[in-house]
Amino acid sequence: MTPSAPVPAYRRLSVEERRSQLLEAALSLFAHRAPEEVSLDDVAEAAGVSRPLVYRYFPGGKQQLYEAALRSAAEELQHCFDEPRKGPSLPRLARVLDRYLTFVDQHDAGFSALLQGGSVVETSRTTAIVDGVRRAAAEHILSHLRVTEPGPRLRMTVRMWITAVEAASLIWLDEDKQPPADELRDWLVEQFVAVLSVTARRDPQTSALVETLLVEG
Amino acid sequence: MTPSAPVPAYRRLSVEERRSQLLEAALSLFAHRAPEEVSLDDVAEAAGVSRPLVYRYFPGGKQQLYEAALRSAAEELQHCFDEPRKGPSLPRLARVLDRYLTFVDQHDAGFSALLQGGSVVETSRTTAIVDGVRRAAAEHILSHLRVTEPGPRLRMTVRMWITAVEAASLIWLDEDKQPPADELRDWLVEQFVAVLSVTARRDPQTSALVETLLVEG
């Protein structure tokens, strides 16, 4: 089923199925239009249901629906981080980036909307959703690197790189997805090693880490 | 005069002086509280004037005042980029970063507010103000590097580094301004060279640029 195909009215969905269906319809609308240009009527129409039904699931209206859609996109994004803890670290990071770039590619404008938090709802709450993903990304990276107590310099380096990756994704979408995803992925992994190596000059913890990464190959 | 010292009521200010005084008072309030927690009454009180006077200067009310305050902070921030075009490029970048970190240090919470665009006003307009500063930063860097036609890889690298610098500044404020500003500055310059060097492996333009930077010393 494509996201925008309305479910025939005669099919009865469970509460969970219906909720997912509405979120999917909303996400696909928010992915192509600014939140302020999406109405609940549009969502109802895209999902092939009545407006009152949308309100039954999201009594808080558009704001609640928008936040739920962002949250659901954020959860999906977090699944990119699921990576078995075996083998050398850099190929693991490359695989996570592959999934991440696929997510960015598929959600396109919706990804930009997610990162920018949107403009119709309180920024503090939507910002919190995105910040949660950023925090999770940093924790995953540090845990894959087997760092349990990251010092401030290492933590800052990882967080700066994550922000740079976000910027790269937005620019990548703006520039018709050039360079190709696999080149961008390798470039980002190499940048990760490069900025860690700079930090290694002034931080023993990072220095030990970089040595391990290079030994692993 | 400290920013929050009220000007005695008997002093007559010119229109421009009064406007600056109100913006300064607003910035200093936005620097310590979320925009939604600042009222026009607070601004009037901080500036030692009446609320109607604030409205006379900013008939659009808080939104207009907030945007004007952001714009004035953005202009001040852009002055950090004023750097004579002589001598080797990396020390120039270091001097710009010195001024930038001084700005971040002085504006503190106001700087975070500026970057986050605030939550009471249309994000699109406040985001545009901040994006303007980012664009200006990228143009300044490329022009100091004497690059007139940056290819996509070089441009992307510079923009990613600028985002990483922003992230570093926000983290720096969160972490009680550690490491010291001069260490952070050197670290950021070294990261700049490191990410350019990574890009140089796949981009002849960047490769030529890195060679020049290293020859300059």
Side-chain angles (χ1 to χ4, degrees), chain B residues 97-107 172:
Chain B
L97 281 172
D98 273 335
R99 287 191 290 273
Y100 170 78
L101 290 173
T102 303
F103 176 90
V104 173
D105 186 13
Q106 281 168 358
H107 286 77
W172 188 62

Side-chain angles (χ1 to χ4, degrees), chain B:
Chain B
M1 187 181 88
T2 61
S4 56
V7 168
Y10 54 80
R11 218 201 114 196
R12 257 196 108 72
L13 300 178
S14 73
V15 169
E16 256 324 295
E17 282 172 329
R18 180 66 82 194
R19 201 185 130 84
S20 308
Q21 182 215 3
L22 293 176
L23 286 180
E24 224 171 301
L27 258 183
S28 125
L29 287 171
F30 289 129
H32 297 98
R33 280 186 258 160
E36 56 267 34
E37 284 160 18
V38 175
S39 72
L40 278 191
D41 280 325
D42 297 332
V43 176
E45 198 191 315
V49 301
S50 67
R51 187 186 156 95
L53 188 107
V54 179
Y55 263 110
R56 203 157 72 215
Y57 279 80
F58 299 97
K62 189 158 112 175
Q63 171 156 335
Q64 192 193 2
L65 180 58
Y66 180 63
E67 282 184 29
L70 282 190
R71 206 163 282 124
S72 130
E75 271 166 30
E76 203 188 322
L77 179 51
Q78 298 220 28
H79 284 309
C80 301
F81 307 153
D82 297 339
E83 172 67 28
R85 274 149 215 284
K86 55 182 188 207
S89 309
L90 294 179
R92 287 191 224 169
L93 185 61
R95 285 189 294 270
V96 171
L97 281 172
D98 273 335
R99 287 191 290 273
Y100 170 78
L101 290 173
T102 303
F103 176 90
V104 173
D105 186 13
Q106 281 168 358
H107 286 77
D108 215 297
F111 175 78
S112 315
L114 172 64
L115 279 199
Q116 274 144 25
S119 48
V120 281
V121 291
E122 286 131 275
T123 314
S124 56
R125 264 212 308 258
T126 51
T127 302
I129 296 173
V130 179
D131 276 347
V133 179
R134 289 185 185 122
R135 243 194 325 275
E139 278 161 23
H140 274 272
I141 289 177
L142 289 166
S143 114
H144 273 276
L145 296 173
R146 289 175 297 277
V147 176
T148 45
E149 291 185 26
R153 284 173 181 74
L154 175 55
R155 218 171 42 229
M156 198 167 181
T157 310
V158 169
R159 289 174 66 187
M160 287 170 73
W161 179 78
I162 289 170
T163 317
V165 170
E166 275 180 36
S169 332
L170 292 174
I171 298 169
W172 188 62
L173 289 178
D174 265 356
E175 308 213 325
D176 295 324
K177 303 178 183 170
Q178 284 303 318
D182 54 348
E183 184 185 331
L184 179 57
R185 173 205 59 206
D186 290 344
W187 188 13
L188 294 172
V189 172
E190 286 173 39
Q191 286 196 15
F192 183 67
V193 177
V195 291
L196 281 180
S197 304
V198 167
T199 303
R201 292 179 206 155
R202 43 176 66 76
D203 181 50
Q205 183 183 37
T206 310
S207 171
L209 178 63
V210 169
E211 248 173 74
T212 314
L213 286 180
L214 296 181
V215 166
E216 280 181 352

Side-chain angles (χ1 to χ4, degrees), chain A residues 119 123 152-153 155-157 159-160 163-164 167-168 171 175 179 183 187-188 190-191 194-195 198-199 201-202, chain B residues 119 123 152-153 155-157 159-160 163-164 167-168 171 175 179 183 187-188 190-191 194 198-199 201-202:
Chain A
S119 48
T123 314
R153 283 173 181 73
R155 218 169 44 227
M156 199 168 182
T157 310
R159 288 173 66 189
M160 286 170 73
T163 317
I171 298 169
E175 308 212 324
E183 183 185 331
W187 188 13
L188 294 172
E190 286 173 39
Q191 287 196 14
V195 290
V198 167
T199 303
R201 293 178 205 155
R202 42 175 66 76
Chain B
S119 48
T123 314
R153 284 173 181 74
R155 218 171 42 229
M156 198 167 181
T157 310
R159 289 174 66 187
M160 287 170 73
T163 317
I171 298 169
E175 308 213 325
E183 184 185 331
W187 188 13
L188 294 172
E190 286 173 39
Q191 286 196 15
V198 167
T199 303
R201 292 179 206 155
R202 43 176 66 76

Side-chain angles (χ1 to χ4, degrees), chain A residues 14 20 23 30 49 56 67 82 95 102-103 116 123 133 144 147 150 163-164 179 182 194-195 201 209:
Chain A
S14 74
S20 308
L23 286 180
F30 289 129
V49 304
R56 202 155 76 217
E67 281 185 29
D82 297 339
R95 284 190 293 270
T102 303
F103 177 91
Q116 275 143 25
T123 314
V133 180
H144 273 277
V147 176
T163 317
D182 53 348
V195 290
R201 293 178 205 155
L209 179 63

Side-chain angles (χ1 to χ4, degrees), chain A residues 110-186:
Chain A
F111 174 78
S112 315
L114 173 64
L115 279 199
Q116 275 143 25
S119 48
V120 280
V121 292
E122 287 129 279
T123 314
S124 56
R125 263 213 309 261
T126 50
T127 303
I129 296 173
V130 178
D131 277 347
V133 180
R134 291 187 182 119
R135 244 193 324 277
E139 278 161 21
H140 274 271
I141 289 177
L142 290 165
S143 115
H144 273 277
L145 296 173
R146 288 175 298 279
V147 176
T148 44
E149 290 184 28
R153 283 173 181 73
L154 175 54
R155 218 169 44 227
M156 199 168 182
T157 310
V158 169
R159 288 173 66 189
M160 286 170 73
W161 179 79
I162 289 170
T163 317
V165 170
E166 274 179 36
S169 332
L170 292 174
I171 298 169
W172 188 62
L173 289 179
D174 266 355
E175 308 212 324
D176 294 325
K177 304 179 183 169
Q178 284 303 317
D182 53 348
E183 183 185 331
L184 178 58
R185 173 205 61 206
D186 291 343

